[in-house]
Amino acid sequence: MASGNLLSTVPVANSLETAKETPIQKVPNASKSAIEFLSLIGTNEIQPCLFEESLVAISENGQTIGTFSISVKKSQYSLDDWYEEDCYLVHASSKGTVDSVPCTTSITGYITKNLEILEQHTEESVRFREHPVETRTHVVKHEGHIVVTRTIIERDEEIHVNSSPYSCELLQGLVAESANLLVLRVMARRQAVPENAIFLSFDSDHHICTSTYRALGFQKQQVKKEEVDVFVIERAVHSIEGIPLSWQFCFLSDGHLSRRVQVGSPVIMLIPQMPILIEIDEPDPRPVFEKRPLDWEEDMELYSQFLDRKEELQASHATYVRRHPELSKLLADFLQLLLLRKPDDVVTFAAEYFAPFSAQNPPCRSFQSSDKPSPFRSHV
């Protein structure tokens, strides 16, 4: 399990102070169905989505020009090195060449168990020989705000830095890019997408905008010599200023990404080989046994045990009586007096008869008055 944070508290606080000087931008609203969809995703659904995978980038002429990898695992996050929060660590990176120009993109994000962003760092690099350009975007949740800091570096020099604050209260339904990779896996395992749900997201300039998901059904995909069924999901990010961007994702039944295409791009991400599909072991149902009447006299084993126990008790009782001959005399005297008196209340008569033998009663005189009231009888 990984643990940590991307930046220390001091730079984050400085970024927040700088961002507070910037007017808070208006943001669109997510739909109730989108907010409800995110709230109903449980940890039991996310657990099978924690794995690593890799794809390769294929150009128009079929050549491999890069790689694309995604990793999701459990982690702990602490912004101030004091309080640690259980979360998920998402890391995605792509490397390749476009027209012989090296391009890299990496995303590292910490998201809560409710798929809310804690911190995310994005780096995009285009290494032109004479003019390399790198864009770094840092998103962090701090003091009730989501602060977005974007830095553009050209020729190893910072030429532009801007920060934008957003109130967390206004960002319900936000799906950051790191959380999106996990949300897609959940949708793929469900093989269902919420209809007409409008989420919030970041556009290419990291401004808040809306995004939508749409299920395109099932398709056949050739993975080496095997043909498999894949579930297709289209995601569209509707930028406020620019044109919408769309991606199509093809998933295997367990959430592994098999194909990724950005609409309008000549590059396709493909899975190089079939992975070992993740299966959830469902517990077997508890066995139900019908209640049947137990006739122990008909059961040979139980009846044999009964006879053995009966003989054992009879022998034990007989031995006890032989060792205590006074028991027979005591019982004979009691029965003789009982038959002579013939009392209506046999229990009270027995209690009064055996009371003098109790160790709790003090000894009494042999010729005690017969008129003394008995403690075993009620008196009005």
Side-chain angles (χ1 to χ4, degrees), residues 3 14 22 25 76 86 128 171 197 208 223 251 273 297 324:
S3 176
N14 293 337
T22 305
Q25 303 180 22
Q76 288 183 326
D86 291 335
F128 294 107
L171 296 184
I208 297 295
V223 181
F251 290 94
Q273 60 184 4
E297 293 182 347
H324 298 276

Side-chain angles (χ1 to χ4, degrees), residues 254-265:
D254 68 338
H256 273 93
L257 182 62
S258 62
R259 188 170 183 264
R260 174 182 176 269
V261 179
Q262 181 175 350
V263 178
S265 172

